[in-house]
Amino acid sequence: MGFFCMQYIHDFGLPREELEGHRVQKAQAVAVLHEVIQGVFTLFCAPGSSATWNNTILDILCSRLHWQLSDMEACVKQEVEVKQTPTIQNPSVRAVNKYFRNIHLYLTEKENSPCAWMTVTLEVSRAMSLSTFSQERLSKD
């Protein structure tokens, strides 16, 4: 991040424990991963997104996120059927939703400035790397 954007650093309340998946059951971890992917997709790919990336890169990201979401939805549906608990009642999912709500509020407050988007991009990269660790752990189970 450039020095001129340093004043934009912000704590979004990254739900580290939920994303690392150490203390959650498989069903919760699947739901959390789905919410992370959905949150990133909404941030960068929703109509009206002001993401400041190169359009080609953004298109590739959105395509891959869409593919992952489709894949994850089948897993979430299967886990919900087994547990018979709606995903929204999962406290870990609520923590992830709150995290992305904080990011959306921040972007609105900062009027979608390029520095705000740079801050969000770095933040989301952290969240994605933690959730990738959790995904790898799940695939071994």
Side-chain angles (χ1 to χ4, degrees):
M1 180 181 313
F3 181 73
F4 59 95
C5 291
M6 294 303 283
Q7 77 265 20
Y8 282 81
I9 293 175
H10 186 79
D11 180 6
F12 296 99
L14 180 70
R16 185 175 286 288
E17 280 188 28
E18 286 81 357
L19 294 177
E20 288 176 339
H22 292 301
R23 297 186 183 145
V24 294
Q25 296 173 344
K26 182 177 180 180
Q28 289 176 321
V30 168
V32 166
L33 289 171
H34 179 268
E35 289 304 307
V36 169
I37 295 167
Q38 181 65 57
V40 174
F41 184 83
T42 301
L43 262 176
F44 291 97
C45 307
S49 172
S50 298
T52 57
W53 288 6
N54 169 298
N55 285 339
T56 303
I57 293 171
L58 200 54
D59 289 344
I60 291 168
L61 172 70
C62 293
S63 171
R64 290 184 180 171
L65 288 172
H66 180 73
W67 175 79
Q68 265 193 315
L69 271 175
S70 298
D71 234 19
M72 290 293 296
E73 283 170 5
C75 294
V76 169
K77 185 177 178 184
Q78 180 181 5
E79 291 297 333
V80 167
E81 287 172 0
V82 169
K83 291 285 184 183
Q84 296 183 339
T85 304
T87 304
I88 198 69
Q89 292 178 3
N90 180 336
S92 298
V93 168
R94 286 197 309 266
V96 170
N97 286 335
K98 181 180 179 185
Y99 170 71
F100 281 102
R101 229 181 1 265
N102 290 342
I103 291 173
H104 284 282
L105 289 171
Y106 170 82
L107 286 169
T108 301
E109 286 173 10
K110 300 297 182 185
E111 299 176 349
N112 287 301
S113 73
C115 281
W117 271 103
M118 185 181 299
T119 300
V120 165
T121 300
L122 292 172
E123 177 68 21
V124 168
S125 295
R126 287 179 40 210
M128 291 298 288
S129 61
L130 285 176
S131 64
T132 299
F133 172 77
S134 184
Q135 266 181 327
E136 289 170 359
R137 210 179 113 259
L138 274 177
S139 66
K140 291 177 185 175
D141 291 347

